[in-house]
Amino acid sequence: MALAALALATAAGCGSGQSSSGPVTLNWYIFPEFSGAFVKSAAACSQGSNGAYEIKIQTLPNAADGQRQQMVRRLAADDSSLDILGLDVTWTPEFAEAGWITPWPDDVAKRVENDTLRSMVDTATWKGRLYSAPFNTNTQLLWYRKDLVPNPPTTWKQMISMAEDLAKQGKPHYIEIQGAQYEGYTVWFNTLVSSAGGQIVSDDGQRVTLDQSAVQALDTIHELANSTAADPSIGNQMEDQTRLQFEAGRAAFELNYPYVYPSAKADVPDIFKNMAWTVYPTVKEGVPTHVTIGGIDLAVGAFSKHKQQAFDAIQCLRSPQNEIQNAVLGGLPPVLESVYSDPKFQKAYPMWKAIFTTLKQASVRPKTPAYQSVSLQISYTLSPPSSVSAKKLGTLRSRIEDAINSKGLVP
Amino acid sequence: MRLGAVADPAIGTGRPRRALTERNRAERRLAWMLCAPAVAVMALVAIYPIVYAIYLSFQRYDLRFPGDKSWIGIDNYTTILSSTDLWWQAFGVTVLITVVSVAIELALGMAVAIVMHRAIFGRGVIRTSVLVPYGIVTVAAAFSWQYAWTPGTGYLAGLLSSTAAPLTHQWQAIPIIILAEVWKTTPFMALLLLAGLSLVPEELLRAAKVDGATAWQRFWRVMVPVMKPAILVALLFRTLDAFRIFDNIYILTQGSQNTRSVSILDYDQLFTALNLGVGSAMSVLIFLATALIAFGYIKGFGAAAPGQEVNR
């Protein structure tokens, strides 16, 4: 009885209910997108395929960890119902190494790489092969208050001293940054190391390459966290807490994604009036800043029964029209360079120039199948930010070393 | 029951066992046949995963590096047991939460059980309403605690100070986790103790009262000894449960700020790091720890239970 019920449940869970004729169903596992942009493009692509395929959206959990866990559990069981996978930019090496996603055929790969932002192609490539197609991207800008800061800073040093001056005058002065023990803190650290000219892990993901540039990154965190410029709760701040502090009028600076702009417009018109943006400050004078890139890449599941159709569908989903639609409706910055000169996009994104400049020289987080462990070790070792100093470099190096070799426990 | 009744006369009369064999064997066969489906299902859903976990625990097996799969003996165990900042830290937190929450639950549960036992009016209503927290899904309850202790959304965070975020500090978060556990499972404790209370004969208490025993003496010298088996069973259940605490911590702090229990740490190894080898080894260690707790209680239980003295 129990066995029968179990078998039934398994069958119901995995069956995709394919009929032999008519369009094949392509399951698209993607994060929940609330504007409906994905639903629209999925429908349009299905329509345009002339009966070749029908894209069915399978909504993943909100949080990135939950999305990854759900897909990994299915893939570890060779689930053939995963046709198109929406992967965070840091997951391609892991899924590729584990044999869960299919590399793109060379001719199609060339088409995908053409016109796509270089850093995004980098996130989608593992061991020289393209395993996924960049779908949308994102990056951080420096947001500041025009009324408090007439000339925005270009370096971290300037920004910290400006904030300290404002503090002395008793004005809102915090620099809002993500310092909680989570992925966002790793993003900050990666930006600082890259902007100081370094790299956390070698390109092949085999060696830790933290050097003098990491010392500069650690010094910057130390300097901020131990100054009056830091929010006292820096150790608990994630993207949304930093946004709220800025909207509450307690901050002069905020490093965050562009979503904070429409949010301030809706929530606090008074602050919004004085809200301005510029590119992320540099660590070293004269060396351009390399902000960590974020976003989603689309891959074809290794156990999918409709790979050809899935490759076709992905190319349709990331067409220029759909990329613009995702940007205008859903606020997701496109990965195609040509779209940035489209007036429709520029209108929806007043800060497009700063974003484009940032994206052109963006940095990529460590590329290793063990990225999750590497990131956990970084945010764990550097928490709380006030405890950070150059002395942590040794511990950090050995913990990342263990992580990329999947040795020891993860925090 | 039936088997025992049949077996007893055979021992009592000292007749050779063969005499009852025909019927005995038939009943035995029937018993095995009746048990077989349950045993098969248990083997499938419990024994197989346990054996498989033990097998995995001796391997280097990381889903992210499928090519590196190999037999590595006890390496996973030494890795875990030599990790002071993660494993022993989580172990300490787990033991602390277990000991403190079970102790508080026992004291509160006893009080609630006595109230339920002595209630004259509305017994049904009281017993039902006491059980409400236990009836709420743990995750749902944990979310309401989480909101309550988060500044801005909750009414409790503001009690400490206007900017306090207690769930983000280890020594404030752990008492909150314990509080959530106690709130949730005291009714369960009370229910088990209530069953024990009903074993205490009323005449015994009256006799003690006549002999001049105070209320405290009646409780400590009469009720508690009679209830001992029930108390130990309740403690055993709750200790095993508390040691495996997962859901409350998962929702309240996600194990940040060193509030991880061993189960949370294990979950991270298995589902975030996808390291099946280390994760399985840790599962085996947790299994051994709970087995040790159960063994300790049953040993203590066997020595202390009044009913068992006779059998010695």
Side-chain angles (χ1 to χ4, degrees):
Chain A
M1 239 345 223
L3 283 178
L6 200 73
L8 210 69
T10 320
C14 295
S16 45
Q18 225 53 238
S19 62
S20 53
S21 62
V24 298
T25 303
L26 295 178
N27 290 298
W28 180 20
Y29 284 80
I30 188 71
F31 70 89
E33 201 281 323
F34 298 107
S35 78
F38 293 174
V39 179
K40 277 189 184 171
S41 49
C45 287
S46 302
Q47 186 102 50
S49 77
N50 292 320
Y53 57 79
E54 182 79 39
I55 301 173
K56 196 172 162 211
I57 293 182
Q58 304 284 358
T59 310
L60 290 169
N62 261 316
D65 281 346
Q67 295 164 15
R68 176 172 162 272
Q69 276 170 23
Q70 192 165 118
M71 289 193 285
V72 164
R73 281 174 169 184
R74 283 172 174 271
L75 289 165
D78 296 3
D79 188 345
S80 66
S81 76
L82 283 92
D83 300 304
I84 306 174
L85 284 67
L87 305 181
D88 191 277
V89 284
T90 55
W91 300 342
T92 294
E94 176 176 48
F95 281 56
E97 191 72 24
W100 290 331
I101 51 179
T102 317
W104 284 64
D106 288 338
D107 51 327
V108 206
K110 277 212 184 72
R111 271 209 300 275
V112 166
E113 286 164 10
N114 186 29
D115 192 34
T116 304
L117 287 162
R118 197 183 40 78
S119 306
M120 281 304 288
V121 172
D122 193 10
T123 67
T125 308
W126 178 241
K127 292 189 172 165
R129 296 201 70 177
L130 189 77
Y131 273 89
S132 51
F135 182 53
N136 61 58
T137 182
N138 219 340
T139 193
Q140 293 192 328
L141 297 178
L142 169 61
W143 306 87
Y144 63 97
R145 291 262 302 265
K146 280 191 293 214
D147 53 336
L148 301 168
V149 188
N151 299 307
T154 56
T155 67
W156 274 92
K157 278 210 159 50
Q158 282 175 17
M159 181 163 71
I160 293 169
S161 76
M162 281 179 178
E164 284 173 335
D165 284 347
L166 286 168
K168 274 183 214 134
Q169 300 165 35
K171 288 182 179 165
H173 58 276
Y174 291 154
I175 297 173
E176 292 295 335
I177 183 88
Q178 297 79 38
Q181 190 184 324
Y182 82 122
E183 182 64 24
Y185 193 9
T186 305
V187 167
W188 181 25
F189 181 66
N190 186 67
T191 299
L192 294 178
V193 172
S194 309
S195 301
Q199 196 171 341
I200 299 174
V201 171
S202 63
D203 282 333
D204 58 3
Q206 300 288 319
R207 282 173 305 112
V208 184
T209 49
L210 288 174
D211 52 14
Q212 206 48 38
S213 57
V215 173
Q216 241 170 334
L218 296 173
D219 283 345
T220 307
I221 297 174
H222 173 87
E223 206 181 320
L224 172 67
N226 294 293
S227 76
T228 50
D231 188 312
S233 42
I234 180 169
N236 305 318
Q237 304 279 82
M238 306 197 201
E239 283 90 356
D240 231 39
Q241 284 88 332
T242 55
R243 172 184 70 90
L244 290 170
Q245 285 290 76
F246 192 87
E247 288 185 4
R250 298 193 189 101
F253 305 96
E254 175 187 10
L255 286 315
N256 212 336
Y257 294 94
Y259 83 103
V260 298
Y261 193 66
S263 162
K265 188 176 179 181
D267 296 352
V268 278
D270 283 353
I271 303 268
F272 178 74
K273 218 171 51 210
N274 289 313
M275 192 169 176
W277 65 83
T278 183
V279 289
Y280 206 97
T282 60
V283 176
K284 254 186 184 164
E285 195 111 32
V287 178
T289 176
H290 300 293
V291 187
T292 307
I293 203 162
I296 297 287
D297 296 325
L298 298 183
V300 175
F303 313 107
S304 163
K305 294 193 180 94
H306 315 292
K307 292 189 181 132
Q308 191 49 53
Q309 289 94 329
F311 283 126
D312 291 344
I314 292 176
Q315 290 177 77
C316 173
L317 289 170
R318 62 192 296 281
S319 71
Q321 301 90 291
N322 285 332
E323 289 276 301
I324 292 180
Q325 180 172 273
N326 294 344
V328 173
L329 291 182
L332 300 165
V335 294
L336 303 176
E337 295 195 6
S338 56
V339 170
Y340 283 82
S341 49
D342 190 294
K344 234 167 64 194
F345 170 73
Q346 294 180 352
K347 195 167 157 253
Y349 259 86
M351 68 298 273
W352 67 272
K353 226 178 212 156
I355 292 183
F356 193 53
T357 315
T358 308
L359 288 172
K360 287 287 270 181
Q361 55 194 30
S363 61
V364 172
R365 277 168 269 179
K367 275 171 69 179
T368 150
Y371 176 73
Q372 294 297 318
S373 314
V374 170
S375 174
L376 287 169
Q377 292 290 12
I378 292 174
S379 58
Y380 172 71
T381 309
L382 301 185
S383 281
S386 54
S387 73
V388 169
S389 73
K391 276 187 229 133
K392 290 227 171 179
L393 187 58
T395 320
L396 191 60
R397 282 189 64 108
S398 72
R399 285 187 181 164
I400 297 176
E401 188 91 48
D402 281 353
I404 55 183
N405 293 313
S406 87
K407 267 200 223 142
L409 308 182
V410 298
Chain B
M1 258 326 234
R2 190 107 180 81
L3 283 174
V6 174
D8 273 344
I11 297 162
T13 54
R15 279 159 64 185
R17 296 195 71 176
R18 228 171 280 121
L20 272 171
T21 270
E22 216 32 62
R23 189 176 172 193
N24 203 348
R25 215 187 275 154
E27 293 211 351
R28 230 163 245 253
R29 230 188 350 257
L30 180 66
W32 273 113
M33 271 157 63
L34 290 175
C35 287
V39 171
V41 171
M42 281 297 282
L44 202 72
V45 302
I47 297 173
Y48 170 71
I50 291 173
V51 172
Y52 188 53
I54 294 172
Y55 167 75
L56 284 177
S57 73
F58 293 110
Q59 298 200 2
R60 171 179 159 81
Y61 188 15
D62 188 324
L63 279 183
R64 300 167 302 188
F65 301 96
D68 295 353
K69 196 173 162 181
S70 62
W71 188 268
I72 55 164
I74 59 161
D75 277 14
N76 287 331
Y77 291 95
T78 47
T79 304
I80 296 168
L81 294 173
S82 60
S83 158
T84 40
D85 58 339
L86 292 167
W87 166 257
W88 290 113
Q89 150 77 29
F91 194 85
V93 167
T94 311
V95 169
L96 176 74
I97 291 176
T98 306
V99 170
V100 177
S101 68
V102 172
I104 299 175
E105 281 161 24
L106 178 65
L108 278 181
M110 183 64 92
V112 172
I114 290 173
V115 169
M116 289 201 285
H117 190 61
R118 294 271 170 247
I120 299 166
F121 304 108
R123 260 190 187 204
V125 177
I126 290 175
R127 288 185 186 187
T128 314
S129 53
V130 162
L131 270 176
V132 166
Y134 192 64
I136 296 176
V137 180
T138 314
V139 172
F143 265 118
S144 58
W145 283 113
Q146 197 228 354
Y147 287 129
W149 287 108
T150 301
T153 59
Y155 53 97
L156 291 175
L159 293 180
L160 299 169
S161 83
S162 60
T163 55
L167 287 173
T168 61
H169 301 282
Q170 187 191 15
W171 291 111
Q172 295 173 17
I174 288 177
I176 292 174
I177 292 165
I178 292 175
L179 174 71
E181 274 290 288
V182 168
W183 176 83
K184 166 93 193 150
T185 45
T186 299
F188 176 70
M189 190 66 121
L191 209 66
L192 289 178
L193 294 177
L194 181 64
L197 268 180
S198 57
L199 291 176
V200 182
E202 202 57 32
E203 312 82 77
L204 208 59
L205 292 173
R206 285 208 204 106
K209 203 170 181 178
V210 169
D211 289 344
T214 62
W216 175 250
Q217 282 170 329
R218 271 176 281 146
F219 172 74
W220 195 243
R221 300 283 169 109
V222 181
M223 279 160 79
V224 170
V226 177
M227 285 175 70
K228 212 164 193 174
I231 294 175
L232 282 166
V233 166
L235 280 179
L236 172 65
F237 278 20
R238 273 308 303 148
T239 312
L240 289 182
D241 258 6
F243 190 80
R244 292 174 298 136
I245 180 171
F246 179 83
D247 29 19
N248 259 324
I249 300 178
Y250 185 73
I251 302 298
L252 284 169
T253 65
Q254 290 84 45
S256 62
Q257 324 299 335
N258 287 329
T259 54
R260 285 184 204 86
S261 68
V262 285
S263 300
I264 294 266
L265 187 65
D266 194 16
Y267 178 86
D268 288 342
Q269 310 310 314
L270 283 169
F271 294 101
T272 306
L274 310 179
N275 196 335
L276 302 188
V278 167
S280 300
M282 202 178 280
S283 307
V284 171
L285 287 174
I286 296 170
F287 180 75
L288 289 179
T290 49
L292 211 67
I293 293 172
F295 182 76
Y297 267 109
I298 288 165
K299 267 285 170 203
F301 180 41
Q308 307 228 327
E309 303 283 294
V310 198
N311 290 346
R312 291 208 152 186

